[in-house]
């Protein structure tokens, strides 16, 4: 079990579980045509969805800035909020190429049932059909929509958080940088980043000696899989008819220099001042914690 001075050690029970289950062994899914693989994952998400007691849902289609539409699912307490509920935009994980607005059910259930939040879970157009920066732009447009409609949702716009896991954590962090560039970062009170992908390992600063990137393969998510996911998010959309597994064998599919953009690898941003405070949650780390209360006190 390796150690990283910046992030601590891996929780041994997580290492043991991941090693036995290979929870991120995507080889069978990646060997399928794209839409088939997505359907397999969508069915798995449905099976894993917890019961949501006291939660009501509403699905809407909202407009993106470029004229496209995307789906958002609004999760609210069954007792309609009176305008003071926290508002959380959740962006799903899935390597930028899998998942939908219902993929983060466990996180969403916690936010609504235990924190009383209104959650806007937003889908985004997926790679490789829609590579970077389309997923980020869709997430940002969902942020603007949620902010504009906060009152009608029964939420307080001054209690706005962005959240996401894995690739969704990447998009949430990048969204905050994009909001800062647009002078909108003060509208976001905080970030909840759940095992976020913050940097393409090809550009990872030397001071971060992460086992899964620089020193070997994590049992949870091997470096080869991460390479494929980065390639998926950056590759040419002309490759969409291929099998996923074959997409990244050609160097011209993936220009790693593109992923050095801080909006793609937020860790590389030169100035992090003025960004909303972030809380990172990673169940694979010993020091990970799970927030049960949203505190908006200054």
């Amino acid at each position: 079990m390796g150690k990283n001075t910046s992030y601590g050690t891996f929780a041994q029970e997580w290492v043991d579980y991941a090693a036995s289950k290979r929870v991120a062994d995507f080889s069978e899914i990646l060997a399928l045509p794209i839409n088939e693989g997505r359907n397999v994952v969508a069915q798995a998400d449905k099976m894993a969805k917890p019961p949501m007691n006291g939660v009501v849902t509403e699905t809407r289609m909202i407009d993106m800035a470029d004229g496209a539409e995307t789906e958002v699912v609004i999760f609210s307490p069954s007792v309609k909020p009176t305008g003071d509920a926290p508002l959380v935009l959740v962006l799903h994980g899935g390597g930028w190429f899998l998942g939908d607005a219902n993929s983060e059910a466990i996180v969403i259930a916690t936010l609504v049932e235990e924190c009383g939040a209104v959650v806007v879970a937003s889908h985004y157009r997926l790679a490789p059909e829609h590579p970077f920066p389309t997923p980020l732009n869709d997430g940002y447009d969902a942020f603007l929509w949620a902010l504009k409609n906060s009152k009608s949702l029964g939420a307080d716009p001054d209690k706005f958080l962005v959240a996401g896991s894995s690739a969704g954590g990447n998009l949430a962090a990048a969204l905050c940088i994009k909001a800062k560039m647009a002078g909108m970062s003060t509208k976001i009170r905080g970030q909840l980043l759940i095992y976020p992908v913050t940097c393409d390992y090809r550009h990872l600063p030397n001071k971060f000696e992460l086992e899964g990137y620089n020193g070997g393969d994590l049992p949870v998510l091997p470096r080869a899989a991460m390479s494929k996911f980065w390639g998926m998010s950056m590759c040419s959309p002309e490759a969409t008819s291929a099998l996923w597994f074959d997409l990244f064998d050609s160097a011209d599919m993936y220009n790693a220099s593109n992923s050095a953009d801080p909006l793609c690898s937020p860790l590389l941003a030169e100035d992090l001042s003025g960004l909303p405070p972030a809380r990172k949650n990673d169940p694979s780390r010993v020091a990970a914690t799970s927030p049960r209360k949203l505190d908006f006190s200054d």
Side-chain angles (χ1 to χ4, degrees):
M1 183 172 64
K3 183 175 182 179
N4 176 339
T5 55
S6 299
Y7 289 87
T9 58
F10 295 114
Q12 186 60 50
E13 61 271 22
W14 180 258
V15 173
D16 294 342
Y17 174 81
S20 65
K21 300 294 185 182
R22 296 298 298 179
V23 293
D25 185 355
F26 293 101
S27 59
E28 294 184 5
I29 294 174
L30 290 170
L32 296 172
I34 289 174
N35 286 332
E36 278 188 44
R38 287 178 179 150
N39 288 337
V40 169
V41 172
Q43 290 302 315
D45 284 343
K46 288 181 180 179
M47 292 176 63
K49 188 175 181 179
M52 292 191 177
N53 301 316
V55 179
V56 295
T57 63
E58 177 187 0
T59 300
R60 298 188 192 182
M61 298 299 295
I62 64 173
D63 294 328
M64 301 288 96
D66 63 2
E69 288 185 321
T70 199
E71 179 184 89
V72 297
V73 182
I74 303 159
F75 298 81
S76 305
S78 56
V79 178
K80 186 173 176 59
T82 58
D84 61 348
L87 180 59
V88 186
L89 173 67
V90 173
L91 299 171
H92 65 81
W96 304 282
F97 68 100
L98 292 170
D100 58 31
N102 289 289
S103 296
E104 302 294 343
I106 295 175
V107 173
I108 292 167
T110 299
L111 289 169
V112 179
E113 294 175 4
E114 302 193 30
C115 302
V118 173
V119 173
V120 176
S122 180
H123 189 38
Y124 47 86
R125 284 170 285 178
L126 299 171
E129 300 95 322
H130 303 284
F132 172 82
T134 299
L136 171 60
N137 291 341
D138 287 356
Y140 188 78
D141 289 342
F143 152 64
L144 296 177
W145 180 89
L147 190 65
K148 180 180 179 181
N149 291 276
S150 57
K151 291 294 187 182
S152 66
L153 297 175
D156 184 346
D158 292 328
K159 298 179 180 178
F160 195 110
L161 302 176
V162 295
S165 68
S166 193
N170 166 276
L171 295 174
L175 186 158
C176 290
I177 295 175
K178 186 176 176 71
K180 176 186 173 181
M181 294 167 63
M184 295 286 288
S185 62
T186 57
K187 302 294 185 180
I188 305 173
R189 292 295 302 274
Q191 311 171 57
L192 176 58
L193 308 179
I194 305 168
Y195 46 90
V197 182
T198 56
C199 189
D200 184 342
Y201 68 88
R202 294 165 179 81
H203 308 297
L204 196 70
N206 291 332
K207 63 181 179 179
F208 297 103
E209 296 179 353
L210 294 181
E211 294 93 330
Y213 283 169
N214 289 349
D217 283 337
L218 294 179
V220 182
L221 193 58
R223 182 166 52 192
M226 279 305 304
S227 178
K228 292 181 183 295
F229 299 165
W230 278 109
M232 188 82 69
S233 71
M234 307 300 295
C235 81
S236 166
E238 285 76 22
T240 57
S241 63
L243 297 180
W244 277 333
F245 224 102
D246 298 330
L247 281 177
F248 317 110
D249 293 335
S250 176
D252 62 359
M253 288 289 187
Y254 176 23
N255 184 349
S257 65
N258 293 338
S259 60
D261 187 329
L263 291 177
C264 188
S265 294
L267 187 67
L268 301 180
E270 293 184 1
D271 182 9
L272 299 179
S273 63
L275 291 174
R279 180 167 188 171
K280 182 178 72 69
N281 183 293
D282 187 342
S284 72
R285 298 288 174 174
V286 171
T289 58
S290 179
R292 298 292 178 180
K293 179 180 178 182
L294 302 179
D295 184 359
F296 292 93
S297 60
D298 293 328

